[in-house]
Amino acid sequence: GGGGGGDGGGGASASVNCTACGGAVTGEFLRVEQKPYHRDCLVCAACRRSLVDAQNRVVFKEVDGKWHCEPCADVIDDGGDPLACDACNEQIPVGKFVRWAKFKYHNEARCFKCAKCAKALSVDMDIFNHNNTPVCEACRE
């Protein structure tokens, strides 16, 4: 179930609600354009990745009134679909994709594979760029 509340901010301040979800904001929160947000509510409108970087800065590009991470915003700006796989062009369910360079793929072997030998790739491997396609270490020459 849900987490417990914290001490809040103290004092006689009015309750604060998250601008995104409307839920009460207790403990740590971030402000964007002077409005409060839960950290977990600050996500890309397309891929749902966090818009909060390691330094607690909120980094996004606004496209059509929605906040997007930079890779998704760039795809939209180019007229593309930010949730389309760059290998098969089919929609990728939220959370089931992998990013490599500026590309995104279904997180499965049929799409995220070496362009030369078709070996399945994973983000923890060394992956090399060959004409904007991913290649494994053995094929990089």
Side-chain angles (χ1 to χ4, degrees):
D7 285 271
S13 61
S15 65
V16 176
N17 290 348
C18 174
T19 305
C21 74
V25 175
T26 58
E28 183 184 343
F29 66 94
L30 297 167
R31 283 193 182 275
V32 180
E33 298 170 353
Q34 311 305 310
K35 297 176 184 161
Y37 290 86
H38 292 115
R39 174 187 204 78
D40 291 344
C41 289
L42 292 165
V43 294
C44 175
C47 71
R48 313 301 295 166
R49 283 190 355 177
S50 177
L51 297 174
V52 183
D53 71 9
Q55 288 77 41
N56 260 352
R57 291 180 307 216
V58 181
V59 181
F60 65 92
K61 285 185 170 181
E62 189 168 338
V63 182
D64 298 328
K66 296 180 180 169
W67 296 351
H68 292 86
C69 64
E70 197 165 334
C72 285
D74 290 345
V75 170
I76 294 167
D77 286 344
D78 291 340
D81 180 347
L83 295 181
C85 176
D86 285 305
C88 73
N89 287 316
E90 293 175 15
Q91 286 283 118
I92 305 171
V94 171
K96 302 288 185 192
F97 69 94
V98 60
R99 280 194 197 279
W100 171 78
K102 63 180 182 178
F103 305 100
K104 69 208 156 320
Y105 301 92
H106 283 97
N107 193 11
E108 48 195 71
R110 73 182 171 100
C111 295
F112 193 46
K113 61 188 176 186
C114 175
K116 291 187 177 182
C117 73
K119 172 183 172 183
L121 299 174
S122 68
V123 290
D124 56 355
M125 300 170 68
D126 287 329
I127 302 169
F128 300 88
N129 190 334
H130 176 74
N131 296 330
N132 282 330
T133 60
V135 294
C136 67
E137 191 165 16
C139 293
R140 75 177 181 171
E141 297 310 317

